[in-house]
Amino acid sequence: MTISQATGGRGMAESGLAPQRFAKIDGVGLDAGIGMLEAVVDEIHWLDRSPFLAASARPSFRAGRGPELHAFSPFSNTDKDDLGTARRAVCVAFAPEHGPTASEWAAARALPLLAPDQVASAFAADKLDALAVFLEAGIETPEFVRVPADGRATARRYWPDAWEAVVVQRRENNLIGRGTRFARNHDELQECLDAWAGRELRVGRYVDGPSVTVTGCVAGNATIVTAVSHQLVGIPGLTSVWGAHCGNQLIAPTDLPDGAYEAIRTAAARVGDQLRLRGYRGVFGLDLVLERNRPLAIEINPRFQTVVSLVQAAEQRADLLPCLGLHVLACLLPELPVQTVVAPVPTLGQLVVHAVRDRQLGALPESGTYRLERGAPVPGENRCLTDLPAGHALLWAQARPGAEVAEGDELILLQLAEAVAGLQAHPRLTAAGSDWVTAVSACVEEASC
């Protein structure tokens, strides 16, 4: 493994992204990675409800270089079977473990779906089984107790006196955090135990520190640890669900207490190495919480996460193959030529606007580049995430007009070339982030934009 300085193609100043922050990031060199992809695939079909993640990878797949990159929504009936004539085509899905939609879409077109081993993925995704991975990896977690699935649990029995608050998790979470709840006292914990009676639960000490996510990719010979982000969870004004994912922003070592950044990278590498032993290959995310400079592992996401769109921008700045390409190579090849570079960390953030109540959606703003004029989003010149100008945002519709949505469902993803919140345990949105959320939420609620 080598360490080198990298600036990654076009200068940071051209896009308005601050160049002052640097961090270590692992990956496969872009030129080498594109060459390796060309040797094994002709087309990559990205399957998700919106193309935001494929769009952030696309600048690395310039015309005439590497396999063709397509994006499809398997949830929509508007996509036809015109997938070209490439014989070596593969599919990659955002969260293939969540339901059969992606696998059925790929199977109907006789295309392989490149996803982690189902048994290994299910084990990692389980909020109780994952504790064994952390133990084997030597990674600390917040103190916890296990509540048996006997239906007779009482709060006082499972709340150690020294704990001020607890976080309750069932084995199966979901993509928007409905399997995680917060309790400030015995009565609130008892409500959780009663609501999830008959399930085995994890009751953990609540750590009042910033949440972070680190993205990795498990290859046959190494765990590739890419960018680190501050994870925004349960932000008022964006969601009413306590544990809901509300966004991310990329962070550098200087944003964290001394030693924390490297400890986060080490934790991800150790977890990835344990996943490899269980047969796992491909992209994963590790969620942690910082207690001063000590990262404590919370859960593993054995899939792509929304933050990977930002991660891929950081990889491109480092002249590395984006995660989407890494995932394909890790699933198809026995080993990868991994390198570590020191590269600029782009100042990028994103926010997720959720449904505030059960309803049928009216109109939604179309996906694209916008700027604010008099508090309203106005379409601007189409840009990609890596060259998004200041004062603009990329908007991605995560739901369809006319769809029935439940409280907490994701509606809009906003991406900005700036920080979106403070780096605290209970962050507040920046003025720009708040303005964008207000403007976009008004469009959704009024169904008139």
Side-chain angles (χ1 to χ4, degrees):
M1 187 174 290
T2 61
I3 299 178
S4 63
Q5 293 289 336
T7 56
R10 191 171 47 79
M12 297 285 287
E14 295 179 35
S15 64
L17 303 180
Q20 294 85 359
R21 307 180 309 157
F22 288 80
K24 287 182 182 178
I25 181 171
D26 299 343
V28 173
L30 180 58
D31 289 339
I34 290 293
M36 296 170 72
L37 283 172
E38 289 178 326
V40 292
V41 296
D42 297 319
E43 292 181 352
I44 301 171
H45 301 287
W46 172 253
L47 309 181
D48 192 24
R49 56 188 167 183
S50 79
F52 75 97
L53 195 143
S56 76
R58 186 162 282 117
S60 293
F61 294 82
R62 296 188 295 270
R65 181 182 185 184
E68 294 185 36
L69 178 58
H70 307 280
F72 294 92
S73 172
F75 305 96
S76 170
N77 293 324
T78 60
D79 292 318
K80 305 301 182 183
D81 292 335
D82 183 15
L83 302 181
T85 58
R87 290 174 297 174
R88 301 183 307 167
V90 297
C91 298
V92 181
F94 182 86
E97 81 280 15
H98 282 265
T101 305
S103 59
E104 290 176 352
W105 191 96
R109 293 154 179 84
L111 298 177
L113 177 63
L114 300 184
D117 175 81
Q118 291 184 353
V119 174
S121 179
F123 190 90
D126 189 296
K127 306 313 173 189
L128 277 82
D129 286 348
L131 295 168
V133 178
F134 298 146
L135 180 63
E136 293 161 1
I139 305 302
E140 291 184 277
T141 67
E143 297 91 333
F144 65 90
V145 294
R146 299 175 75 132
V147 178
D150 58 13
R152 300 188 301 274
T154 59
R156 293 189 180 276
R157 178 179 178 184
Y158 294 103
W159 187 310
D161 293 337
W163 295 0
E164 296 182 0
V166 299
V167 177
V168 188
Q169 285 189 300
R170 65 189 188 196
R171 284 187 175 274
E172 72 287 4
N173 207 332
N174 70 0
L175 291 176
I176 59 173
R178 288 200 174 103
T180 298
R181 296 179 64 173
F182 175 68
R184 294 164 292 187
N185 52 53
H186 289 165
D187 289 341
E188 290 182 355
L189 175 57
Q190 192 63 55
E191 289 178 9
C192 295
L193 299 180
D194 293 342
W196 289 336
R199 299 172 184 260
E200 188 176 7
L201 304 174
R202 169 184 170 185
V203 177
R205 176 176 66 89
Y206 171 67
V207 177
D208 193 23
S211 298
V212 297
T213 292
V214 55
T215 300
C217 183
V218 180
N221 63 316
T223 296
I224 301 165
V225 181
T226 62
V228 178
S229 76
H230 176 206
Q231 180 169 245
L232 308 177
V233 178
I235 303 293
L238 287 172
T239 184
S240 58
V241 178
W242 180 83
H245 168 250
C246 290
N248 303 81
Q249 52 194 2
L250 296 180
I251 52 178
T254 52
D255 297 322
L256 301 175
D258 289 346
Y261 198 95
E262 197 59 38
I264 291 167
R265 283 178 47 83
T266 298
R270 290 180 178 176
V271 167
D273 290 345
Q274 289 300 319
L275 293 178
R276 181 186 307 104
L277 296 177
R278 296 178 178 274
Y280 189 97
R281 297 292 185 274
V283 166
F284 74 97
L286 175 64
D287 291 349
L288 310 102
V289 61
L290 287 180
E291 189 167 49
R292 295 176 294 279
N293 66 340
R294 183 175 63 141
L296 303 175
I298 301 297
E299 63 186 36
I300 303 167
N301 293 287
R303 54 176 174 82
F304 284 83
Q305 294 176 280
T306 306
V307 72
V308 173
S309 57
L310 306 186
V311 170
Q312 292 185 139
E315 289 166 331
Q316 289 172 65
R317 293 292 169 187
D319 207 27
L320 298 173
L321 187 71
C323 267
L324 181 52
L326 277 181
H327 179 86
V328 172
L329 292 179
C331 291
L332 294 179
L333 299 179
E335 60 181 44
L336 300 180
V338 182
Q339 60 180 306
T340 300
V341 302
V342 178
V345 178
T347 304
L348 291 171
Q350 60 187 17
L351 296 168
V352 182
V353 178
H354 298 75
V356 297
R357 63 181 184 275
D358 296 355
R359 59 171 294 189
Q360 183 178 18
L361 292 178
L364 283 171
E366 293 185 0
S367 297
T369 307
Y370 288 78
R371 67 184 189 279
L372 288 183
E373 286 189 4
R374 299 177 182 177
V378 176
E381 178 185 356
N382 284 334
R383 307 295 286 268
C384 62
L385 189 58
T386 52
D387 66 355
L388 187 64
H392 290 65
L394 281 174
L395 183 152
W396 300 99
Q398 300 288 78
R400 288 179 291 152
E404 294 285 348
V405 296
E407 179 184 1
D409 284 353
E410 295 184 358
L411 302 181
I412 299 287
L413 174 66
L414 282 167
Q415 298 178 320
L416 290 78
E418 58 186 283
V420 293
L423 185 59
Q424 297 107 15
H426 308 284
R428 293 184 178 181
L429 297 183
T430 61
S434 182
D435 288 346
W436 276 104
V437 169
T438 299
V440 171
S441 297
C443 285
V444 174
E445 295 305 314
E446 294 172 6
S448 61
C449 293

